[in-house]
Amino acid sequence: MTKILYIAASPRGPMSQSGKLAEAYLAARQAAQPDVAIDRLELWNADLPEFDGDKAAAKMTFFGVGDMDAPRQSAWDQVVAVTDRFIDADEYVLSVPMWNGGIPYKLKQYIDIITQPGLLFGFDPEAGYSGLLSGKSARVFYTSGVYAPGAPAKYGTDHHSTYLGWWLDFIGVREIETVRFQPSLLTADPAGDQMKALERAQGLLLQQA
């Protein structure tokens, strides 16, 4: 059974443009594969732990800094619990609106919690960093109100798809498909452009066939 982790990064619920694209893909996927398991992670409703001093100190023990004492081990156990849910999935679906040129801070918090040595990445002084995930895939749905790829800089800069693409590659996710609805506001035909984006989202299934 394929396990999909759907990570919703917008707080707007059914009004989210990126969420509509992700939901269209998931509905088409489930219609084609009724046995697929979808785990929904609504970041704005999730009880995400703060990545505080104990967790940062626990992380640094993997680089030879300090010891994994009881407080650090307890903090690390919280990180592992959140990360295990992520690792358990076969496919990641992310709905990601652009916020101030980047990703919503709740998504960044989640990434900072789970992106840990020995869990999602390894490090060797000679070879450098290496992703620990293998055989995983991702479907990412990007939206923005004004920014569009290739638009003049006065309409914004893309630090959200560039960052998220780098992060997925960093942890070892190599198969990545993206759908953009950009811009969603500064366009002559918002409804028509949205429909085309929804069709592209549903069309990702054809690319997997």
Side-chain angles (χ1 to χ4, degrees):
M1 178 190 299
T2 299
K3 296 180 180 179
I4 296 177
L5 178 62
Y6 170 35
I7 302 170
S10 172
R12 299 181 65 220
M15 297 299 294
S16 165
Q17 295 289 3
S18 60
K20 291 176 183 177
L21 298 180
E23 292 290 356
Y25 167 75
L26 291 171
R29 182 69 181 277
Q30 203 153 40
Q33 295 178 287
D35 63 339
V36 69
I38 300 175
D39 179 14
R40 295 172 178 271
L41 176 56
E42 303 280 348
L43 291 178
W44 295 85
N45 298 322
D47 185 18
L48 298 177
E50 295 293 328
F51 194 77
D52 55 19
D54 283 335
K55 294 179 182 65
K59 174 179 181 175
M60 293 309 297
T61 64
F62 288 87
F63 296 97
V65 180
D67 299 314
M68 187 71 84
D69 56 18
R72 293 173 183 176
Q73 185 63 60
S74 177
W76 189 252
D77 289 344
Q78 294 179 49
V79 168
V80 172
V82 176
T83 309
D84 279 348
R85 181 178 177 183
F86 183 83
I87 294 174
D88 192 47
D90 302 301
E91 178 183 328
Y92 307 110
V93 173
L94 298 98
S95 57
V96 190
M98 176 182 280
W99 280 24
N100 299 315
I103 63 174
Y105 69 88
K106 283 288 186 180
L107 178 56
K108 185 60 168 63
Q109 179 186 359
Y110 179 69
I111 289 172
D112 286 342
I113 292 169
I114 67 175
T115 310
Q116 303 300 335
L119 298 179
L120 295 190
F121 72 89
F123 178 76
D124 178 85
E126 296 297 326
Y129 292 106
S130 59
L132 296 182
L133 299 183
S134 62
K136 312 283 190 180
S137 62
R139 311 288 180 258
V140 191
F141 300 91
Y142 294 112
T143 56
S144 54
V146 173
Y147 169 81
K154 64 182 179 180
Y155 294 117
T157 302
D158 181 5
H159 296 294
H160 90 315
S161 74
T162 53
Y163 171 76
L164 205 55
W166 166 83
W167 173 69
L168 288 167
D169 181 74
F170 176 75
I171 62 176
V173 180
R174 303 286 184 251
E175 182 189 334
I176 305 169
E177 299 288 347
T178 65
V179 171
R180 294 176 181 263
F181 178 24
Q182 297 176 318
S184 62
L185 297 176
L186 195 65
T187 170
D189 185 14
D193 291 344
Q194 181 191 58
M195 183 58 64
K196 292 175 183 177
L198 290 169
E199 290 173 353
R200 291 196 297 273
Q202 295 167 332
L204 290 181
L205 291 178
L206 299 176
Q207 298 178 30
Q208 300 176 58

